Amino acid sequence: MTPLIILTLVLLWQCVLVGYTFSLAGNAADEAVRAGTASEEVQAACEEAGLQHLPDAWEGGATVDCGANGGYVTADVFLEVPVLFPGSIGFPFTVEGHAGAVQEEKGD
């Protein structure tokens, strides 16, 4: 019975890591697009803001893609899901966070 309980706990913990990674990706995309809408250099500001608040264990495998088209800025953040321990090897799939916002106009 003990191995079954341990296996259940391991699977639950892995589900928590997957959920937390989704949460981090969504928040990073929101932060990235917010910074991108207020900057002249959309890609640089967006990427910096997208990586700024990520924990070190997720930051290493993170990718932030930003773009501006017709006054609309989008940010896509891709994070690797760690296996059992943050900072360890990752699953063979990534989690995506996506956000978009209208670019702010510069006033005089």
Side-chain angles (χ1 to χ4, degrees):
M1 191 68 171
T2 302
L4 184 60
I5 292 171
I6 291 172
L7 179 64
T8 302
L9 291 174
V10 166
L11 290 175
L12 285 173
W13 175 247
Q14 189 59 53
C15 288
V16 167
L17 285 176
V18 170
Y20 186 56
T21 303
F22 270 102
S23 177
L24 287 173
N27 184 58
D30 288 341
E31 293 289 334
V33 79
R34 189 175 298 121
T37 60
S39 176
E40 298 274 335
E41 296 291 327
V42 173
Q43 180 64 32
C46 188
E47 187 172 344
E48 181 182 340
L51 296 174
Q52 183 178 8
H53 298 292
L54 289 176
D56 293 338
W58 278 268
E59 188 176 358
T63 305
V64 180
D65 293 324
C66 302
N69 187 11
Y72 190 72
V73 178
T74 59
D76 293 302
V77 176
F78 302 93
L79 299 178
E80 295 177 358
V81 178
V83 177
L84 295 181
F85 300 103
S88 66
I89 60 171
F91 271 128
F93 69 92
T94 57
V95 168
E96 177 184 1
H98 177 77
V102 177
Q103 191 157 14
E104 297 177 11
E105 292 188 24
K106 307 298 180 218
D108 290 328

